[in-house]
Each structure stands twice: as C-alpha cells, then as structure tokens.
Amino acid sequence: QVQLVESGGGLVQPGGSLRLSCAASGSIFRINAMGWYRQVPGKQRELVASITSSGRTNYADSVKGRFTISRDNAKNVAYLQMNSLKPEDTAVYYCNAQITDTYFRGMDSWGKGTLVTVSS
C-alpha cells in the first residue's frame, strides 16, 4: 500500500507565504510525476503544479511566478512553495503522485488534503 500525507496548510494573510509538503510512504518502487491540485466547494479540482521525476515542471497560469513545486526523490517528498498568496488561493490542496509499487503496479495516489486559507 501507498500513502500520501500533506502538511503545511493553515491561515495566512494576503501577500504571505506557505510551504506545503507531501510525503509518500509504503510499498514504493518508483514515483513518477507528482502534482498539487486544489479544490474549493462547488468547483472542480484543478491542477496547480506538477513535476516529473526528472524535474520538469508545469504550472497553472494563475500561480505562475508565485508558486514553485519541487521534490526530493531520495525522501519521496514533494513541496509547494506558495508566495504572494491571494484570497483566491484559498482551497483544500491535494497531493497526487503517479506511483509504481513494489509489485510493479501503476497507481494514481491522492492525499487527504490540507486547507489553505488566505484572509486578513
């Protein structure tokens, strides 16, 4: 089994920063792409940023220049550094990972989410 656990969410004022972490654990052979998504009530979950195993990144237009995704392959951890936060960034942020387990099965894994609230 594979687990993803997010941390680092919380309340921050507009213009502030937060860093989210996503730790993967379990029967992992290889982690391929990792990504961060977010969702607000009544809306679809949307991609915020993704990163391949080789470090190639992709960002939603709404966060380009403000958010940075990174990963530590040795620790099976992904990060999302969020700067210049805006109230519209308020959402539950979910970590996603494309994982090959030790039985060489591919799986699409999700964390339970961490709430980010941007408000004064």
Side-chain angles (χ1 to χ4, degrees):
Q1 292 185 349
V2 174
Q3 284 188 320
L4 297 181
V5 178
E6 303 100 335
S7 60
L11 173 64
V12 63
Q13 292 187 341
S17 297
L18 281 176
R19 188 172 88 149
L20 305 183
S21 298
C22 170
S25 63
S27 304
I28 298 170
F29 174 72
R30 181 179 60 237
I31 301 178
N32 303 305
M34 300 185 79
W36 288 95
Y37 290 72
R38 66 186 181 188
Q39 189 171 24
V40 297
K43 291 190 176 181
Q44 286 191 331
R45 192 172 296 186
E46 64 173 1
L47 175 67
V48 176
S50 63
I51 184 168
T52 66
S53 57
S54 60
R56 188 168 68 250
T57 58
N58 180 55
Y59 295 93
D61 288 342
S62 59
V63 307
K64 282 180 181 176
R66 300 188 298 122
F67 290 11
T68 301
I69 188 170
S70 61
R71 61 190 285 176
D72 184 332
N73 291 330
K75 296 181 179 179
N76 290 339
V77 178
Y79 305 97
L80 185 68
Q81 178 66 45
M82 305 186 293
N83 299 327
S84 303
L85 282 160
K86 305 176 181 180
E88 51 263 42
D89 294 318
T90 296
V92 177
Y93 284 71
Y94 297 89
C95 179
N96 172 265
Q98 308 297 313
I99 292 174
T100 301
D101 70 7
T102 53
Y103 295 96
F104 303 105
R105 296 174 301 192
M107 56 185 62
D108 185 23
S109 298
W110 290 90
K112 293 183 178 180
T114 185
L115 177 63
V116 172
T117 303
V118 185
S119 175
S120 55

